[in-house]
Amino acid sequence: MLCERLRDQRYQERIVSAEEAASWIHDGMTVGLSGFTRAGDAKAVTMALAERAKRDNTPFKINVYTGASLGSDVDKVMAEAGIVHKRLPFQADSVMRSKINQGEMLFVDHHLSHTAEAVRAHVLDPIDFAIVEAIAITEDGMIIPTTSVGNSSIFVEQAKAVIVELNMAQPLALEGVHDIYDLEEQGQREPIPLTAVDQRIGLPGIEVDLDKIKGIVITNQKDSPSTIVQPDQETQQIANHLIAFLKDEVKKGRLTNSLAPLQSGIGSVANAVFNGFLDSDFTDLQVYSEVLQDAVFDLIDAGKITFASGCSITLSPAKMEEVLGNFDQYKDKVVLRPQEISNHPEIIRRLGLIAINTALEVDIYGNVNSTNVLGTHMMNGIGGSGDFARNSRLAVFVTKSIAKGGRISSVVPFVSHVDHTEHDVDIIVTEQGYADLRGLAPRERAMLVIENCAHPLYRQQLREYYAEALSRGGHTPHVLEKAFSFHTRFREEGTMQEHALATPSR
Amino acid sequence: MLCERLRDQRYQERIVSAEEAASWIHDGMTVGLSGFTRAGDAKAVTMALAERAKRDNTPFKINVYTGASLGSDVDKVMAEAGIVHKRLPFQADSVMRSKINQGEMLFVDHHLSHTAEAVRAHVLDPIDFAIVEAIAITEDGMIIPTTSVGNSSIFVEQAKAVIVELNMAQPLALEGVHDIYDLEEQGQREPIPLTAVDQRIGLPGIEVDLDKIKGIVITNQKDSPSTIVQPDQETQQIANHLIAFLKDEVKKGRLTNSLAPLQSGIGSVANAVFNGFLDSDFTDLQVYSEVLQDAVFDLIDAGKITFASGCSITLSPAKMEEVLGNFDQYKDKVVLRPQEISNHPEIIRRLGLIAINTALEVDIYGNVNSTNVLGTHMMNGIGGSGDFARNSRLAVFVTKSIAKGGRISSVVPFVSHVDHTEHDVDIIVTEQGYADLRGLAPRERAMLVIENCAHPLYRQQLREYYAEALSRGGHTPHVLEKAFSFHTRFREEGTMQEHALATPSR
């Protein structure tokens, strides 16, 4: 079996235990890990490293770079062990999040297409070890990744040494799904030749010198499944509004019935929106996105999606079994690319994507907060939302209009952290309706967002804020001393609602 | 003389007066004008239109799209005449600015590379007339622009009809400097083949059907010159800090002695920075920017810059005489492109530019406000700063640390409007020093910005804010109820300084 996966005799001499590989990693080092939204993460060496920290009494800290979030509790265990000095470019673990927000570890929130450039340009601390999961290493020296590509190719290229986690639990059928295209340095590169979603422009694996592979660790552990959240009434309404808007765009001649390549962020709202396409009249859809979730494969099965390009596959337990167990039938309909390519401004703008991402909160002028709860506490990170929103044909942001049983309004006078500016936000959709902000000045946007997107519980409060702002004048009217009044009221009274106690019936 | 410029007999039949051409434009129409930062603007028909509005008693409103700001008081006169309903994507006239801020006209603040996509995708109101300045119309049906290209090619392509202002005051020697490359619709286009600053990829003029040219107006008026502001002590210090930083990058091996293609925003700080290169050791510099200002030509004359690509040439009176009077000697060192190409994310990222733009204010985490004074009042617009900062190799923002004699700090706890988020800002430079924010988490950034960039008058206030914010915790610590305290104090007390009256000596 092993010779199927280690296709040169010499690789076998590099096999070591996870503990031994972990022993090479010392205080102050930087590691670059495979892994993107729980898929294809380096699961063994990182765990052994955290175990060592717990066991020994020699404290150490390392920098951890990845593609995006990790699964298998790797981020949790590393955070608990206190071994992470700096983490980038994305995470989604509750323990790690809490350490970040307590100031116990540092987190750098990158656009997901930017990390590779920063590594290539030697702007970040240099990478000592790339640790990447693989299904095989070929006879001609290529590491074949598993369920994600993420930043693995740039990490392998730039690291001083490479550790491969050869995961026997990942099916060999994945071979051929990857398309690895490496960029030269800025100023010395050609145009990226990709002009169609289903085009292949690179190699089936990551090229690496045998000498650079310091160790190979044999593992046998599936990816952590995604925690699937079924569509609820609100997410269903969001999907319906978005589909109504897209139908209208088709009617106006701006889109055809196969729309344009679709991108969606991860999460239940995005998944619900994609589910909404199942019953729609749209046909021959294509996906050019980061994470391929359950709904993408449902739509492939239903013949609605003809091709999906991503940089990772993250599925629920049942769907994982179904897709990875029969991957041959998906291989001509799916490709996995490095996240620098899946999220590249050049490609996103050329193809003219429809980008659908989730907002934490939006403001009356269309600015979006994707990351910092109440302006201060990091949730997960901006991810690829900025790469896509800035460069897409249509930048759509979706959110439920209220959270915490109505105590939080997702529509506020001024977002408490700005990830996407008014220049980059085209359409805002909540379960209440949608606001099409294209070509509108701030004074045209405010009432549209309030009346179409805010929850009725909060509309009057927002109207009153805007009326007072208007009395002050300006291109973007505001009452700065009250701009964060929703947020400060929540902090003090536990709700953003004015007079919530006096008029509970509102 | 005219036959040199109208190279097909049939064009002569289209010659009309500016008044007649203006008479074709009615209430509710949309016009697309040539013009980018005072250069190559349509000067005659727009003025005749404003005259008509003043003369007649029939009120009308039109939408006005341009490349960027206009010169020759066109924006001023149109604003005074009250004929503009909506204006995009940039303006810089004080009368128009005041009308926008009073809510008397609408302004849409676009990334300058985005307007062409919105026009091409029929997202904005359709253009009834493109009105573009030209030095000539060729025998094979090409409009040769003058000192700017701006959005002229997309306006001509998409407008229902075209009016050409043939400007006899613009030298025929400009012919050959333009490189017009048109993009197909999103989803149907090839990679833009540009891989070097001095490469030509298009045509020397804008192709147009004879039938589409409804009128040709003969004019004879130079561009408005730029109001040159000589470097002062602070802008000189900013230039020195930036050059010291760049030298250090060369020393670290991240840049060579010819740096990388340079972009700079318009204005005195940017001009001073470019002036700083004159006495530097850097050689064989290249420019890939929007506006080519005086300093670019000084650097060409000094042999420091080998090639400059822009989308307009905006000069002081003396420099205009010198450059436009002897343009043949610059022709092999300069190219003018459509702003969609000069500002295209695909090219900016491929070439790896060093982008230098001006901030109105910055905050302790590196967010930048480029547009709205005190969060509400529009200055000029975001211009190309977002196109460049997001996609460049190095996104540099420069500003003096104080304004209004110290009553305003350009470093604040939370910018009152966000145009560039923390994800897109690498280096902040003031006359105090610079902060290199690359790879830093928010908690690493705050003290660096305060200590290196803020004016000593404000450092203690900022330290106190940050200390209180830290006590609240979070990834991006803030005290939201005090986040805009600098701005509200200025509104109430006329200064951002705490206890300014009690301790005037600070």
Side-chain angles (χ1 to χ4, degrees):
Chain A
M1 289 293 285
L2 206 55
C3 60
E4 272 189 306
R5 291 176 180 259
L6 294 180
R7 298 175 192 161
D8 184 318
Q9 192 61 35
R10 292 172 298 171
Y11 297 138
Q12 305 227 4
E13 297 158 16
R14 305 287 160 103
I15 294 175
V16 294
S17 68
E19 290 67 30
E20 184 175 347
S23 75
W24 303 332
I25 296 164
H26 306 302
D27 188 49
M29 280 190 171
T30 296
V31 298
L33 307 181
S34 68
F36 196 104
T37 53
R38 297 163 170 257
D41 41 4
K43 303 162 175 71
V45 179
T46 45
M47 287 303 236
L49 194 63
E51 286 303 318
R52 187 183 101 204
K54 284 193 233 170
R55 201 180 53 232
D56 296 3
N57 232 348
T58 331
F60 67 94
K61 297 260 190 199
I62 58 170
N63 298 319
V64 178
Y65 307 166
T66 62
S69 60
L70 304 176
S72 315
D73 287 337
V74 170
D75 269 336
K76 172 170 177 273
V77 172
M78 288 194 299
E80 280 172 349
I83 62 171
V84 183
H85 171 250
K86 187 174 278 187
R87 176 81 172 82
L88 62 83
F90 189 87
Q91 57 74 44
D93 177 78
S94 63
V95 174
M96 182 165 274
R97 181 182 298 145
S98 132
K99 298 272 183 190
I100 291 167
N101 288 320
Q102 286 160 23
E104 290 176 25
M105 56 171 277
L106 296 167
F107 174 60
V108 186
D109 189 20
H110 272 180
H111 296 298
L112 291 187
S113 83
H114 281 202
T115 309
E117 298 281 18
V119 170
R120 187 181 290 115
H122 309 296
V123 164
L124 302 175
D125 283 335
I127 298 170
D128 296 285
F129 283 99
I131 312 176
V132 298
E133 193 181 79
I135 49 172
I137 314 178
T138 66
E139 52 279 33
D140 48 354
M142 277 197 289
I143 297 170
I144 311 293
T146 61
T147 43
S148 72
V149 180
N151 280 318
S152 296
S153 53
I154 189 75
F155 291 163
V156 167
E157 177 189 304
Q158 295 285 330
K160 294 171 198 157
V162 175
I163 300 167
V164 177
E165 292 194 5
L166 192 80
N167 191 343
M168 310 298 281
Q170 297 276 28
L172 262 179
L174 284 166
E175 188 168 1
V177 79
H178 313 93
D179 185 52
I180 310 298
Y181 181 87
D182 287 323
L183 290 163
E184 298 296 315
E185 282 183 35
Q186 287 180 310
Q188 295 169 30
R189 62 175 70 148
E190 293 299 308
I192 304 169
L194 193 74
T195 56
V197 168
D198 59 359
Q199 193 180 341
R200 298 189 147 272
I201 57 173
L203 297 171
I206 302 166
E207 287 183 307
V208 65
D209 270 357
L210 175 64
D211 294 344
K212 205 165 172 179
I213 299 181
K214 178 150 183 185
I216 297 171
V217 177
I218 312 294
T219 71
N220 197 333
Q221 185 184 345
K222 289 184 180 169
D223 287 339
S224 312
S226 67
T227 47
I228 190 89
V229 181
Q230 289 304 317
D232 59 21
Q233 198 189 336
E234 282 85 23
T235 57
Q236 189 55 57
Q237 285 167 330
I238 290 172
N240 294 347
H241 290 309
L242 179 54
I243 285 169
F245 162 76
L246 292 172
K247 274 189 178 170
D248 201 48
E249 289 289 291
V250 173
K251 214 162 119 189
K252 286 179 174 146
R254 292 180 186 148
L255 289 170
T256 70
N257 213 35
S258 25
L259 302 177
L262 298 161
Q263 176 267 336
S264 103
I266 197 162
S268 52
V269 181
N271 205 56
V273 168
F274 264 43
N275 264 313
F277 287 122
L278 267 175
D279 306 318
S280 73
D281 299 332
F282 304 123
T283 56
D284 299 313
L285 298 171
Q286 291 188 314
V287 167
Y288 194 86
S289 194
E290 301 168 334
V291 187
L292 307 183
Q293 293 183 266
D294 282 23
V296 168
F297 290 92
D298 291 339
L299 285 160
I300 290 177
D301 291 344
K304 283 281 186 188
I305 286 181
T306 59
F307 200 91
S309 167
C311 83
S312 84
I313 298 175
T314 304
L315 301 170
S316 66
K319 201 76 192 172
M320 195 188 291
E321 189 105 342
E322 193 186 315
V323 170
L324 295 187
N326 302 282
F327 199 75
D328 280 331
Q329 74 183 73
Y330 293 103
K331 231 182 207 160
D332 59 341
K333 298 188 183 71
V334 175
V335 66
L336 294 181
R337 309 181 191 276
Q339 69 196 72
E340 189 175 20
I341 302 295
S342 65
N343 290 32
H344 205 291
E346 175 171 339
I347 310 300
I348 295 164
R349 182 128 166 198
R350 183 181 300 151
L351 298 179
L353 304 193
I354 298 173
I356 305 162
N357 290 284
T358 307
L360 271 185
E361 58 178 6
V362 302
D363 72 25
I364 57 174
Y365 297 115
N367 299 286
V368 167
N369 175 7
S370 302
T371 56
N372 279 257
V373 177
L374 295 170
T376 55
H377 283 62
M378 175 53 62
M379 181 60 82
N380 302 330
I382 191 169
S385 58
D387 294 320
F388 290 105
R390 170 70 63 88
N391 300 295
S392 60
R393 173 198 307 255
L394 269 175
V396 181
F397 283 90
V398 295
T399 180
K400 295 187 184 185
S401 70
I402 48 174
K404 302 240 178 233
R407 290 184 291 121
I408 286 181
S409 172
S410 306
V411 181
V412 293
F414 197 123
V415 285
S416 57
H417 183 91
V418 180
D419 291 295
H420 309 288
T421 72
E422 44 158 336
H423 314 92
D424 297 324
V425 178
D426 292 328
I427 319 287
I428 294 172
V429 191
T430 71
E431 82 288 350
Q432 299 294 322
Y434 70 84
D436 178 356
L437 306 178
R438 293 174 295 172
L440 298 190
R443 284 169 183 245
E444 295 175 293
R445 293 174 163 221
M447 288 309 286
L448 203 62
V449 172
I450 295 171
E451 301 302 333
N452 291 13
C453 298
H455 194 278
L457 271 176
Y458 285 97
R459 279 187 205 157
Q460 188 54 26
Q461 256 175 261
L462 289 163
R463 286 181 201 127
E464 283 166 15
Y465 175 85
Y466 182 58
E468 187 176 353
L470 268 182
S471 75
R472 295 260 182 106
H475 172 66
T476 314
H478 268 304
V479 184
L480 284 188
E481 65 272 27
K482 296 184 181 173
F484 293 139
S485 57
F486 281 45
H487 305 87
T488 53
R489 187 176 301 114
F490 180 82
R491 189 169 182 272
E492 286 156 17
E493 302 174 19
T495 177
M496 288 186 173
Q497 265 188 279
E498 237 172 1
H499 318 304
L501 296 176
T503 57
S505 62
R506 277 177 73 187
Chain B
M1 287 296 283
L2 205 56
C3 59
E4 272 190 307
R5 291 175 180 259
L6 294 181
R7 298 175 193 163
D8 184 319
Q9 192 61 33
R10 293 172 299 172
Y11 297 138
Q12 306 229 3
E13 297 157 17
R14 305 286 160 102
I15 294 174
V16 294
S17 68
E19 291 68 30
E20 185 175 345
S23 75
W24 302 332
I25 296 164
H26 306 300
D27 188 49
M29 279 189 173
T30 296
V31 298
L33 307 181
S34 68
F36 196 105
T37 53
R38 296 164 171 257
D41 39 5
K43 302 162 176 70
V45 179
T46 44
M47 286 305 237
L49 194 64
E51 286 303 317
R52 188 183 100 205
K54 284 193 230 169
R55 202 179 55 232
D56 294 4
N57 232 349
T58 331
F60 67 93
K61 297 261 191 199
I62 58 171
N63 298 319
V64 178
Y65 306 165
T66 63
S69 59
L70 304 176
S72 316
D73 287 337
V74 169
D75 268 336
K76 172 170 178 274
V77 172
M78 287 194 300
E80 281 172 349
I83 61 171
V84 182
H85 171 251
K86 186 174 279 188
R87 177 79 172 81
L88 63 81
F90 188 87
Q91 58 74 43
D93 177 78
S94 63
V95 173
M96 181 166 273
R97 181 183 299 145
S98 133
K99 297 272 183 190
I100 290 166
N101 287 320
Q102 285 158 24
E104 290 177 25
M105 57 172 277
L106 297 166
F107 174 60
V108 186
D109 189 20
H110 273 179
H111 296 298
L112 292 187
S113 84
H114 281 201
T115 309
E117 298 282 17
V119 170
R120 187 179 292 116
H122 308 298
V123 164
L124 303 174
D125 284 335
I127 297 170
D128 296 285
F129 284 99
I131 312 177
V132 298
E133 193 180 80
I135 48 171
I137 313 178
T138 66
E139 53 279 32
D140 47 354
M142 278 197 290
I143 296 170
I144 311 295
T146 62
T147 43
S148 73
V149 179
N151 279 317
S152 296
S153 52
I154 188 75
F155 290 164
V156 167
E157 177 188 304
Q158 295 285 331
K160 293 171 197 158
V162 175
I163 299 168
V164 177
E165 292 195 4
L166 192 81
N167 190 344
M168 310 299 279
Q170 297 276 27
L172 261 179
L174 284 167
E175 188 168 1
V177 79
H178 312 94
D179 186 52
I180 310 298
Y181 180 86
D182 287 322
L183 290 164
E184 299 295 316
E185 282 183 34
Q186 287 180 310
Q188 295 169 31
R189 62 175 69 148
E190 293 299 307
I192 304 170
L194 193 74
T195 57
V197 168
D198 59 359
Q199 193 181 341
R200 299 190 147 273
I201 57 173
L203 297 172
I206 302 166
E207 288 184 307
V208 64
D209 269 357
L210 175 64
D211 294 343
K212 205 166 171 177
I213 300 181
K214 178 152 182 182
I216 297 171
V217 177
I218 312 296
T219 71
N220 197 331
Q221 185 185 345
K222 288 184 179 167
D223 286 339
S224 312
S226 67
T227 47
I228 190 90
V229 181
Q230 289 304 319
D232 59 23
Q233 198 189 337
E234 283 85 23
T235 57
Q236 189 56 55
Q237 285 167 330
I238 290 173
N240 293 347
H241 291 310
L242 179 55
I243 284 169
F245 162 76
L246 292 171
K247 274 189 178 169
D248 201 48
E249 289 291 290
V250 173
K251 213 161 116 189
K252 286 178 176 146
R254 292 182 185 145
L255 288 170
T256 71
N257 213 35
S258 29
L259 302 178
L262 298 160
Q263 175 268 335
S264 102
I266 197 161
S268 51
V269 182
N271 205 56
V273 168
F274 265 42
N275 264 312
F277 287 122
L278 267 175
D279 306 318
S280 75
D281 299 329
F282 304 123
T283 56
D284 299 313
L285 299 171
Q286 291 188 314
V287 167
Y288 194 86
S289 195
E290 301 168 333
V291 187
L292 307 182
Q293 294 183 266
D294 282 25
V296 168
F297 290 91
D298 291 339
L299 286 160
I300 290 177
D301 291 344
K304 283 280 185 190
I305 287 181
T306 58
F307 200 92
S309 167
C311 83
S312 82
I313 298 176
T314 304
L315 301 170
S316 66
K319 202 76 191 171
M320 196 189 291
E321 190 106 340
E322 193 187 315
V323 170
L324 295 187
N326 303 281
F327 200 74
D328 280 330
Q329 75 182 72
Y330 293 103
K331 232 183 209 159
D332 60 340
K333 299 188 183 72
V334 175
V335 66
L336 294 182
R337 309 181 191 277
Q339 70 195 72
E340 189 175 20
I341 301 296
S342 65
N343 289 33
H344 204 292
E346 175 172 340
I347 310 299
I348 295 165
R349 182 126 166 201
R350 183 181 300 153
L351 298 179
L353 304 193
I354 299 173
I356 306 161
N357 290 285
T358 307
L360 271 185
E361 59 177 7
V362 302
D363 72 25
I364 58 174
Y365 296 116
N367 299 285
V368 167
N369 175 7
S370 302
T371 56
N372 280 256
V373 178
L374 296 170
T376 55
H377 282 63
M378 174 54 62
M379 181 60 81
N380 302 330
I382 192 169
S385 57
D387 294 320
F388 290 104
R390 169 71 63 89
N391 300 294
S392 61
R393 173 197 308 255
L394 270 175
V396 181
F397 282 91
V398 295
T399 180
K400 295 186 183 186
S401 69
I402 48 173
K404 303 241 179 232
R407 291 183 291 120
I408 287 181
S409 172
S410 306
V411 181
V412 293
F414 197 123
V415 286
S416 57
H417 183 91
V418 180
D419 291 296
H420 309 289
T421 72
E422 44 157 337
H423 314 92
D424 297 325
V425 178
D426 293 327
I427 319 289
I428 293 171
V429 191
T430 71
E431 81 289 349
Q432 299 295 320
Y434 69 83
D436 179 355
L437 306 178
R438 292 173 297 172
L440 299 190
R443 284 170 182 243
E444 295 175 293
R445 293 174 162 220
M447 288 310 286
L448 203 62
V449 172
I450 294 171
E451 301 302 333
N452 290 13
C453 299
H455 194 278
L457 272 177
Y458 285 98
R459 277 185 207 159
Q460 189 52 27
Q461 255 175 264
L462 289 162
R463 286 182 202 125
E464 284 166 15
Y465 176 86
Y466 182 58
E468 186 176 354
L470 268 181
S471 75
R472 295 260 183 106
H475 172 65
T476 314
H478 268 303
V479 185
L480 283 189
E481 64 272 27
K482 296 184 181 175
F484 294 140
S485 57
F486 281 45
H487 306 87
T488 53
R489 187 175 302 114
F490 181 82
R491 190 171 181 271
E492 285 156 18
E493 303 174 18
T495 177
M496 287 186 173
Q497 265 189 277
E498 240 172 357
H499 319 303
L501 295 175
T503 57
S505 63
R506 278 177 75 185

